[in-house]
Structure formats: structure tokens, C-alpha cells
Amino acid sequence: MDKSSALEYINQMFPNEVSLSGVEPLMQKIQNEIRTVDAGILAAVRQQSNSGTKAKEDLAAATRAVEELMYKIREIKTKAVQSETMVQEICRDIKKLDFAKKHITTTITALHRLTMLVSAVEQLQVMASKRQYREAAAQLEAVNQLCSHFEAYRDIPKIIELREKFKNIKQILKSHVFSDFSSLGTGKETEETNLLQQLSDACLVVDALEPSVREELVNNFCNRELTSYEQIFEGAELAKLDKTERRYAWIKRRMRSNEEIWKIFPSSWHVSYRLCILFCKKTRKQLEDILANLKEKPDVGTLLLALQRTLEFEDELAEKFGGGTQNREIGNEIEEIGKGNNSSSSALDIRKKYEKKLAAHQGGDSEEKDGSKDLAVPGAGFNFRGIVSSCFEPHLTVYVELEEKTLMESLEKLVQEETWDIEDGSQSNVLSSSMQLFLIIKRSLKRCSALTKNQTLYNLLKVFERVLKAYATKLFARLPKGGTGIVAAATGMDGQIKTSDRDERVICYIVNSAEYCHKTAGELAESVSKIIDPQYSDRVDMSEVQDEFSAVITKSLVTLVHGLETKFDMEMAAMTRVPWGSLESVGDQSEYVNAINLILTTSIPALGSLLSPVYFQFFLDKLASSLGPRFYSNIFKCKQISETGAQQMLLDTQAVKTILLEVPSLGRQTSGAASYTKFVSREMSKAEALLKVILSPVDSVADTYRALLPEGTPMEFQRILELKGLKKADQQSILDDFNKHGPEIKQTQIAPSIVPAAPPVAPVVPSPSAIGLIASREDVLTRAAALGRGAATTGFKRFLALTEAAKDRKAGPFRNLFNP
């Protein structure tokens, strides 16, 4: 502690005189602590002195131990070197003796094997001269094994001599065997009873010789067997297409008659299998020559019969030597056309089908990698299907032409016999000619797929396309047409389509049939792509046919709308003939409104029950895009509209709007009617706005027109003034003021694109300018109403009174008229 700290401590311990009495006890305590600390320091010093001495002694002891250990290690290493030298001196003579023993043993073994080889070669030579094939086969195996031991001594003269002698003996055996086999099939086997046994033993010799000897023997045998076949069927009498079946009968008969004799061949040689392959190749070449030398097109019946018999023969060979279920699988694929229930297949069936396809694909790859597969074990990659029948492929054009002619004739017959109606109790609203046509196409596809799956099947698919397009044209031609000619032009009916209730049903049947054909054509393409040769599968496409039927559907629905428009023509004309300028009071809805309601309630329920929801929605959208704007423009065709007439027309407009909004309910299809309802409400609201402009006072008509119909034009505004009955002079001042100010806001209206099953359109957020427009419209309407209350026109006062009275009613046309 420094001096100041010591003073502070003392002052703290003895703050006053009274506390000085504790000085003695404190001094006693401090002295005790000093003695305790000194004793501890002394003990620590003594302990440290003892520890240092002991550490030095331990270090010295460790150093001495390490030195002793190093000395012992050097001594052990010296003794090890001495021991190794001693062992080498002892074993030097033993190693020499061991090498000598090994060389003597190898020499004795080699001399013993050489003796055996010389003896075996001599015995083999005797057996070969005596044609003892069974013994020679076993001896050949022994000599081959002995020769393998002398591969390292092949340059020694004695070994060279023995190997040359062995080679000559094998050549002698080969010539003897080939000579003996040349008598097979000549009738000697029946005369010499032991000939077959001798030839069976000769097969053992052939197996013991090189594999090339067996290949040569089998090839010679097959060529000799088919020599008579070539001679018979190259003659002028049998070298004809209609004699094809006799070719296959000949080989079957030959194989049956020689079955017992050919048992002399080992089963591993597969003589029958290779004979059939060679027969198929020779047959294919002869048939190609026959077809190429034809002076005119072959008869279709003869050609197909020959092809059918060829395919049956190929199937028999495939089943005999490799098996196969290809045709059955193809039949299953074709049966799926038109069912529309492909999803019902179980996962296991789908897995099995694709496993088979993968296996077939891998088999095809292995065949390409190894060109000798066609002479290998049966079922190891060679495919009998198509080996002969493929030569018919370039000549099947006549068959495709016949199929096309038959299909076109069937199509004409089906259309002629079509009643254009659906039988009672039918589950589908599809014309029978559609289903019958695809049944005929399915049968044609089955016939062709049983014959070929290459270019001809692809050509037939093109025929199907032409037939289906022709059917689409027939459906198109059955649709009602508009009026043409001088009479139609004179009566104003040029281009208009009149449809009866039956015509509307027929149009619905055509829509459903075209939809069925569109769907089934896609299934047809899918099935063909699965069964046709892979090189053509990517080219299979029925999109053009589907486009044709889509066009038929669109035209049919448009025709349906045009037919209803024609029915509305008379009512639209009746609307313009009403004396709107001289009406004295507002009554119930007009007669033309009742007629419109009658037309819709008569036609719509039937259309809704026959059309699918997608196409009924398409029809509704087309109907809405036609009737709404048409009703709006029809108002301008009226001569003059008084205030009472405008009130009556406003009531009629509300009734027409209600009728149009109930159309989806009439058809019992309301699921997708939101866009239709929105469009009808917008278009009919424009008609209501037009009538409100006509009802507005003359002083505010321009402002009201700009507010309610901002997209209007000066010509349209002038027509409104004419409808109000204003004179030319009065019109001019209002027009000048209107043109001077001009339309304040122009709204861009986008006509809805009406497409079946179109995706919903995102809602449009109103812009600030549009919000301002709404506010300005409200102001204008308020001012127009204020001016109207002070007008001297009795009719307008009556209209306002009716409006106020409508507020006390729960429902009614006038209450609905101004409800937001």
C-alpha cells in the first residue's frame, strides 16, 4: 500500500480517540499473520530445493537406460546379419537341388505327354482311315488337350511335325464326313441300315473339329435340301403368285417326312431352324422376281391371298422357333378406338405392355450389333415376321386403292341412308353414320395391320384422312343454307338462313357427331402410332382432320345463331312498325317482346338438352354478341319516339333483357353463363341508356348523351334528335353546341373474343378518368332530373309519377328499371 492508502486505512480503523484502545489487539493479530506467512515461505523454499535435486537424478538415470538400450539393439542387429549369412551358406546347395528336381519333373512330364501325343496321333490316323467316327471324336478331344500343353514348344521340329500330321488327319476326317453326308437324302439311308448311326457318330467328329466345319456342313446340307425346291418353283408352271401357298406346303411336307432322319443332327445345331431361314431368303428372292416381272398390276385378291399365306407361315415359324403375341396386342390396341375409356386399364397392364416394348427394342438393338444373329439359337434376336412378306410391301398400292374405293362407297351409302335423326332410347346424340363410319375404318385397320405395319399402313392412314375429310364435307353440306338468287335478293332474304325446329335438332346432331369424329380421329392416330413401324410413328398425325371437324362445329353453331337471327327479323321489323311517336299511355310489354320470348322458349330448351356445355356456351356467346347490338341499332330504325313511346320502349327493353338473361336457365346449363350474363347486361344497358337520352329534356340532351353514351358519335346523336322529333333548325343549334364541346371522354370497348371453354378474363380495375366519368354522369343525371320536374310535358310528369309510385312496390318492371 502507498502512503496515502496506509493513512486512510489507519484513519478508518481509528477514527477517534476512543478507538485507540484497540491498537494492541490489532498489533497482536498482524504479528501473528506475519509469522504465518514467513513459515509458509520457508517451507516452500525447502520443498523447491529438494525437488530440483531429485529431477537431476531422474534425468541422469534415464540417460543411462537409453544408452544401454542402444547398445543392445546394435548387438542384436550384428547377430541377425551373422545368422542370415549362415542360413544362405547352408541353403545354397539345397536350392540347386530344388531347381534340378523341378526341371527333371517338367522334362519327364513333357516326355510323357509327347509319348501320349505321338501314340494318340497314330491311333487317330488309324481311326480316320477306318471311319471309326465315335472313337475318333473322343480321340480328337484328347489330342486337342495334349496339343494345348505344347503351345510353348511349337517351334521345335518334332512338335511341328506332329501338329502338321494332326492337321492332315483332321482334313481327312472332314473329307470323309462330308462324303458320307452327301449320301443323306439320296435313299441310301434306307438301304444301308447302319448309315444313319454312322452319320450320327460323324456329327460328334464335327463337333470336335473347328466350329467353321460345322457351319460349312450345315450350310452344304441346307443348300442341297433346297436345290430341288429352287428347281421346282423356278419353272414356268409354279413360278406364279397364285402358287405361293404350295411353296410353304412343300417345306412343311419336307420337314415332316425327314423329321426322323434329321434326328441324327444334335439339337444344338438347330438344323431345322437354319433350313427355314435359308428357305425364307430364297423364297423372298423368287417372289421379288415374280412381282418385278409382272407386266400389269397384280390382282388384288391373288396378291392378298399370297400375302396372307406368307404371314401365316411366318407366324408358324415364329411360334415354332421363338413365339410371339404381336398380332393379339395389335388387335387390343385397335379395339380401343372409339371407346374413349383408355384410362380404365390397370397399372399392371400398362407396365406389362411397356416392358414388352422395351424388351422388343433391346432385342432389335442386339440384332443390329451382331449381324450373325440370324444363324444363332432360335429366339435369340432373329425375327421371322417380315422376312418374306416384306417383299410384297412395294406392290400393295392396289390394295390401298381398293380400300379407299370401298371406304368412299361405304361413306356415300351411309350418308344416303342417314335419317339425320336419333332413335328413341339412344344414349348419345350422335348420328349413326359417324359411328358406322368408324366401325368400317376399324375393320379396315384390322385387315391392314394383319398384313403389314409399314408404308402400306401409313398410306392407308392417309386414306382414312381423306375419307374423314369427305365426311366432314358431307356434314357441312347438310347445314341449312341462306337464300340466294333473284327472288331472295328481291325479298331481302339474300344470305338469311331459315331454320325449323327439326333443322335446329339436325344442326345439334351434326355438332355432336363432329365432336365425336374429332375425338375418335385422335384415338385412331394414337392407336396407329402404337402398332405401326417405329420409323413411321412420328409421322402419324390427324390434326388436319380434327381441324376439319372443328370447322364443322364452328359453322354449325354460327348457322344455329343465324337461324335464330332470321326468326328475330320479323319481330325486329314489328318493333320498327309500332307508332312510338303517337302512343298515349304506357301498358304491358309489346307483342314483339312476347314473340321474342316465344321463339327463345321454343328453341333454347331443345338446344340445351342436345348440346354439350362447352358448345352451348359458345352458342350463347354468339347469340349475345348478335342480339344485344342488333336491338340497340334497331331503335335507330324507328321513325319517331315520343316520351310515352320511349317509356314503353324502355319497359320493353327491360323485358327483353330479362328474357335474354333467362336463356341459360331455359337450356338447363347455367354453370358457365357468367360471361354471357355480363355481355347481355352491358349491351342491353346501352339500349336503356339510349332511351334515357331520348327521354331527357332538350336542354340537357347533349350532356346526358355524353354521360350515358360516351362512345357515341355525332351522327348517332343527330339521329337521336330526329327520334325526339326536333325540327332541323332546332337540331342545328344543339348539334353545333355538341360539336363545339365534343365528347369529353372516349371509352375504348373491346369486343369479347368468343371461344369455347376460353379462360376467364381478369377483372378490369377502373382508371381515375373512368371514376371521374361516373361522377360526371351522376351530376348530369341529377341535373336532368331537376330540369325534368319543371318541364311542361304531361307525359314526362306521368313517367316521373310512375317512377315515384314504383318505390312503394316490392317488385315490378319500373322498380327494376332504375335499380342499380
Side-chain angles (χ1 to χ4, degrees):
M1 298 173 63
D2 56 14
K3 185 175 180 181
S4 61
S5 299
L7 290 175
E8 289 178 1
Y9 178 73
I10 292 171
N11 290 332
Q12 185 179 0
M13 296 298 295
F14 306 104
N16 50 42
E17 294 179 359
V18 178
S19 59
L20 293 176
S21 59
V23 172
E24 289 298 331
L26 178 62
M27 293 294 293
Q28 186 75 26
K29 180 180 178 182
I30 291 173
Q31 288 177 358
N32 291 336
E33 289 180 358
I34 290 171
R35 284 193 294 271
T36 302
V37 171
D38 289 341
I41 292 171
L42 183 60
V45 169
R46 288 175 180 172
Q47 185 178 359
Q48 181 63 28
S49 176
N50 294 335
S51 297
T53 304
K54 187 177 180 180
K56 290 179 180 179
E57 292 175 355
D58 292 342
L59 180 60
T63 304
R64 288 194 299 271
V66 169
E67 290 176 353
E68 291 177 0
L69 181 61
M70 292 298 293
Y71 174 75
K72 290 180 180 180
I73 290 174
R74 286 193 296 272
E75 188 178 12
I76 291 170
K77 184 181 288 188
T78 303
K79 290 181 180 180
V81 172
Q82 293 174 357
S83 300
E84 184 179 0
T85 304
M86 187 183 298
V87 169
Q88 288 179 354
E89 291 177 355
I90 294 171
C91 295
R92 186 178 296 125
D93 295 335
I94 297 175
K95 202 174 209 181
K96 291 179 180 180
L97 292 173
D98 186 52
F99 284 141
K101 180 184 177 182
K102 182 178 179 181
H103 293 325
I104 290 171
T105 304
T106 303
T107 303
I108 293 172
T109 304
L111 290 173
H112 179 63
R113 287 174 176 170
L114 180 60
T115 304
M116 293 173 62
L117 178 59
V118 172
S119 175
V121 170
E122 292 176 353
Q123 292 177 15
L124 182 62
Q125 187 174 13
V126 174
M127 294 173 185
S129 62
K130 294 182 179 181
R131 297 180 186 258
Q132 295 175 349
Y133 293 132
R134 182 177 291 275
E135 294 79 3
Q139 196 70 11
L140 271 171
E141 293 290 342
V143 173
N144 284 328
Q145 291 181 5
L146 289 170
C147 286
S148 64
H149 295 294
F150 292 95
E151 287 295 327
Y153 310 105
R154 55 188 311 134
D155 296 332
I156 297 175
K158 182 62 176 178
I159 301 301
I160 294 174
E161 180 185 350
L162 286 173
R163 292 175 68 88
E164 190 65 29
K165 187 176 182 180
F166 180 49
K167 182 178 179 181
N168 294 334
I169 293 172
K170 289 196 292 184
Q171 192 63 35
I172 293 171
L173 281 172
K174 177 182 175 182
S175 61
H176 287 342
V177 170
F178 276 58
S179 175
D180 292 343
F181 267 101
S182 63
S183 61
L184 185 63
T186 60
K188 289 185 179 181
E189 60 271 10
T190 58
E191 300 174 2
E192 302 178 15
T193 55
N194 62 341
L195 178 60
L196 293 179
Q197 182 60 44
Q198 185 178 356
L199 292 177
S200 179
D201 296 341
C203 292
L204 301 176
V205 173
V206 174
D207 276 335
L209 295 171
E210 290 80 6
S212 60
V213 177
R214 183 182 64 186
E215 295 292 326
E216 185 179 354
L217 178 63
V218 174
N219 287 337
N220 289 344
F221 170 76
C222 293
N223 285 320
R224 190 168 59 252
E225 283 290 323
L226 296 176
T227 301
S228 59
Y229 166 74
E230 291 180 313
Q231 294 173 352
I232 293 172
F233 288 95
E234 280 183 353
E237 183 180 352
L238 295 178
K240 297 179 181 178
L241 200 59
D242 56 354
K243 306 296 183 183
T244 305
E245 186 176 3
R246 298 182 62 176
R247 297 173 177 270
Y248 309 129
W250 182 91
I251 189 63
K252 293 177 186 177
R253 186 168 58 251
R254 188 74 174 176
M255 292 177 69
R256 281 195 305 269
S257 61
N258 294 328
E259 185 176 3
E260 293 297 326
I261 299 175
W262 293 351
K263 285 183 179 180
I264 61 173
F265 296 109
S267 58
S268 60
W269 288 17
H270 308 295
V271 174
S272 300
Y273 171 73
R274 298 174 60 171
L275 178 66
C276 290
I277 291 176
L278 188 58
F279 169 80
C280 291
K281 291 181 177 179
K282 291 182 178 295
T283 302
R284 175 190 173 89
K285 186 177 183 306
Q286 290 187 356
L287 289 177
E288 284 177 344
D289 294 339
I290 293 172
L291 291 169
N293 294 330
L294 290 175
K295 296 180 180 180
E296 56 185 15
K297 288 185 178 181
D299 178 66
V300 178
T302 304
L303 182 66
L304 293 183
L305 180 61
L307 177 57
Q308 183 65 35
R309 295 295 180 261
T310 302
L311 291 169
E312 291 173 358
F313 177 68
E314 290 176 350
D315 287 339
E316 290 177 10
L317 293 181
E319 186 174 356
K320 180 179 179 62
F321 297 112
T325 58
Q326 185 179 7
N327 288 337
R328 184 161 58 252
E329 291 177 1
I330 290 171
N332 293 336
E333 294 287 354
I334 296 173
E335 287 299 326
E336 292 297 325
I337 299 174
K339 290 185 177 180
N341 195 22
N342 294 335
S343 60
S344 62
S345 300
S346 65
L348 182 61
D349 293 337
I350 296 174
R351 181 177 179 182
K352 287 181 178 179
K353 179 173 71 175
Y354 282 97
E355 283 178 350
K356 290 176 181 177
K357 288 186 177 181
L358 180 60
H361 179 68
Q362 291 175 347
D365 291 343
S366 62
E367 182 180 353
E368 291 176 0
K369 292 178 182 177
D370 188 358
S372 62
K373 282 289 186 182
D374 59 337
L375 298 179
V377 181
F382 186 82
N383 186 9
F384 277 102
R385 290 189 175 89
I387 185 174
V388 180
S389 57
S390 57
C391 71
F392 290 91
E393 192 73 33
H395 305 276
L396 288 176
T397 309
V398 290
Y399 163 69
V400 176
E401 293 172 354
L402 179 62
E403 284 284 357
E404 182 171 8
K405 179 181 178 182
T406 304
L407 287 170
M408 287 298 184
E409 291 175 353
S410 301
L411 174 62
E412 292 294 335
K413 184 178 180 182
L414 287 173
V415 174
Q416 290 176 3
E417 296 177 352
E418 180 61 69
T419 61
W420 304 101
D421 203 350
I422 303 299
E423 298 180 359
D424 296 336
S426 177
Q427 296 181 352
S428 63
N429 296 318
V430 178
L431 296 172
S432 62
S433 58
S434 301
M435 295 182 284
Q436 291 296 327
L437 178 61
F438 274 99
L439 286 176
I440 295 172
I441 288 176
K442 188 189 298 184
R443 287 196 291 269
S444 176
L445 179 59
K446 274 188 176 181
R447 286 194 299 269
C448 185
S449 61
L451 299 175
T452 176
K453 302 166 193 67
N454 296 312
Q455 182 67 43
T456 302
L457 181 57
Y458 181 74
N459 293 341
L460 186 64
L461 180 66
K462 292 299 180 182
V463 170
F464 294 159
E465 289 185 22
R466 292 193 288 273
V467 171
L468 291 173
K469 287 180 180 179
Y471 183 64
T473 304
K474 299 287 186 185
L475 294 179
F476 194 88
R478 182 60 181 80
L479 294 173
K481 301 295 187 298
T484 56
I486 299 176
V487 177
T491 56
M493 301 296 289
D494 189 13
Q496 293 183 345
I497 300 174
K498 289 187 176 182
T499 56
S500 62
D501 293 343
R502 171 175 167 73
D503 290 335
E504 291 176 353
R505 288 198 305 274
V506 169
I507 294 173
C508 292
Y509 296 148
I510 291 175
V511 170
N512 295 333
S513 301
E515 181 184 13
Y516 168 80
C517 293
H518 182 282
K519 178 182 178 182
T520 312
E523 295 174 0
L524 174 64
E526 183 179 355
S527 297
V528 172
S529 64
K530 291 178 181 178
I531 64 178
I532 202 169
D533 192 84
Q535 62 177 328
Y536 297 100
S537 58
D538 294 337
R539 297 162 58 185
V540 174
D541 184 20
M542 296 289 279
S543 57
E544 291 185 5
V545 173
Q546 291 178 313
D547 292 343
E548 290 284 338
F549 285 110
S550 296
V552 171
I553 293 172
T554 303
K555 179 61 177 177
S556 301
L557 294 173
V558 171
T559 302
L560 208 56
V561 173
H562 288 171
L564 283 177
E565 287 179 349
T566 304
K567 291 182 179 180
F568 289 137
D569 285 347
M570 187 178 297
E571 312 313 324
M572 294 293 102
M575 175 181 172
T576 59
R577 289 196 296 269
V578 174
W580 300 108
S582 59
L583 285 182
E584 297 180 356
S585 63
V586 177
D588 293 333
Q589 61 190 29
S590 304
E591 287 299 324
Y592 73 89
V593 177
N594 295 330
I596 291 174
N597 185 35
L598 179 62
I599 292 172
L600 293 175
T601 53
T602 303
S603 299
I604 297 301
L607 300 181
S609 63
L610 293 177
L611 293 176
S612 64
V614 173
Y615 296 120
F616 186 71
Q617 180 62 39
F618 183 95
F619 165 75
L620 289 182
D621 292 342
K622 283 289 186 183
L623 185 65
S625 64
S626 170
L627 293 184
R630 188 178 184 189
F631 188 87
Y632 177 83
S633 62
N634 203 61
I635 295 175
F636 289 99
K637 295 180 181 179
C638 299
K639 294 182 179 179
Q640 184 178 348
I641 303 175
S642 65
E643 291 184 1
T644 304
Q647 296 167 17
Q648 180 64 48
M649 190 178 292
L650 194 59
L651 178 64
D652 293 344
T653 303
Q654 181 66 30
V656 172
K657 178 180 179 181
T658 303
I659 292 169
L660 292 178
L661 292 176
E662 290 177 353
V663 167
S665 301
L666 290 174
R668 295 187 179 89
Q669 295 190 24
T670 57
S671 58
S675 61
Y676 168 81
T677 302
K678 183 177 180 181
F679 190 82
V680 168
S681 299
R682 185 176 74 237
E683 292 299 322
M684 296 307 294
S685 296
K686 288 174 60 179
E688 293 173 352
L690 174 62
L691 293 171
K692 290 177 184 178
V693 172
I694 295 174
L695 279 170
S696 64
V698 175
D699 297 340
S700 61
V701 66
D703 293 336
T704 306
Y705 179 72
R706 277 193 293 266
L708 297 183
L709 296 171
E711 71 280 4
T713 62
M715 293 182 62
E716 190 177 276
F717 180 66
Q718 183 178 3
R719 179 58 185 152
I720 291 174
L721 297 180
E722 293 175 356
L723 291 175
K724 288 178 68 67
L726 295 178
K727 297 179 180 179
K728 291 289 184 181
D730 297 334
Q731 290 182 21
Q732 191 60 42
S733 61
I734 298 174
L735 283 173
D736 292 341
D737 181 65
F738 178 80
N739 293 328
K740 180 179 179 181
H741 291 85
E744 295 180 0
I745 299 174
K746 290 288 183 180
Q747 288 183 340
T748 304
Q749 291 192 349
I750 303 174
S753 59
I754 303 173
V755 181
V761 180
V764 179
V765 179
S767 62
S769 61
I771 296 173
L773 170 64
I774 295 172
S776 64
R777 288 178 61 185
E778 294 296 333
D779 294 342
V780 172
L781 287 175
T782 302
R783 287 190 293 131
L787 290 171
R789 291 191 186 97
T793 308
T794 306
F796 190 71
K797 288 182 178 179
R798 185 185 302 134
F799 173 72
L800 292 176
L802 289 171
T803 304
E804 294 294 328
K807 294 180 180 179
D808 299 329
R809 301 177 186 173
K810 294 182 179 180
F814 281 100
R815 184 172 180 81
N816 294 331
L817 191 63
F818 291 100
N819 280 345

